[in-house]
């Protein structure tokens, strides 16, 4: 059984920073992609950033230059450093792990979500 645990959300003022973490636990061999998505009230879930097993990254245009995604394969953990936060970044942020290989099958997993609120 694979479980994802997210942390690091909260309330921050505009221009501030937060760092999100998502750790996967279980009998994991490899993880292909790790990513962050977000969903604001009344909107569809959207990709924020993603990193592959070769450390190739891609970002939503709205966060380029402000957010940085990274991964620690030894810890099966993905991070999202968010700087220069704006009120429009307010959303529930979800961690996604794609192509998680447990030795006998490969699946995708989602975290439970963490709230990020940017407000003065």
């Amino acid at each position: 059984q694979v479980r994802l645990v997210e942390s690091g959300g909260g309330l921050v003022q505009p221009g501030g920073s937060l760092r999100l973490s998502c750790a996967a636990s279980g009998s994991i061999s490899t993880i292909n992609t790790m990513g962050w998505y977000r969903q604001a009230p009344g909107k569809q879930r959207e990709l924020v950033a993603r990193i592959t097993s070769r450390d190739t990254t891609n970002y939503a245009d709205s966060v380029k230059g402000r957010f940085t995604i990274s991964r620690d394969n030894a810890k099966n953990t993905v991070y999202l450093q968010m700087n220069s936060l704006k009120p429009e970044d307010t959303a529930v942020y979800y961690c996604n792990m794609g192509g998680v290989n447990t030795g006998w099958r490969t699946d995708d997993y989602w975290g439970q979500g963490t709230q990020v609120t940017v407000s003065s």
Side-chain angles (χ1 to χ4, degrees):
Q1 183 74 13
V2 175
R3 182 178 176 226
L4 304 188
V5 177
E6 303 173 9
S7 60
L11 173 64
V12 65
Q13 292 186 341
S17 298
L18 283 175
R19 189 190 193 211
L20 304 182
S21 300
C22 175
S25 61
S27 300
I28 298 170
S29 296
T30 58
I31 301 174
N32 187 11
T33 63
M34 300 182 182
W36 291 94
Y37 291 71
R38 67 186 180 188
Q39 188 167 18
K43 295 187 177 181
Q44 289 189 331
R45 189 174 298 190
E46 63 175 359
L47 173 69
V48 176
R50 181 170 54 205
I51 184 168
T52 71
S53 57
R54 296 187 177 187
D55 288 336
T56 300
T57 59
N58 62 289
Y59 296 90
D61 288 343
S62 59
V63 307
K64 283 181 181 177
R66 300 188 297 121
F67 291 10
T68 303
I69 190 170
S70 61
R71 61 190 284 171
D72 184 334
N73 293 322
K75 297 180 179 180
N76 290 327
T77 299
V78 62
Y79 305 96
L80 186 67
Q81 178 66 44
M82 305 186 293
N83 299 328
S84 302
L85 282 160
K86 304 175 181 181
E88 50 264 43
D89 294 318
T90 296
V92 177
Y93 284 69
Y94 296 91
C95 167
N96 173 266
M97 301 265 188
V100 179
N101 188 313
T102 57
W104 61 289
R105 61 182 294 165
T106 300
D107 292 290
D108 296 349
Y109 293 89
W110 288 90
Q112 79 282 3
T114 185
Q115 177 70 46
V116 171
T117 302
V118 184
S119 175
S120 54

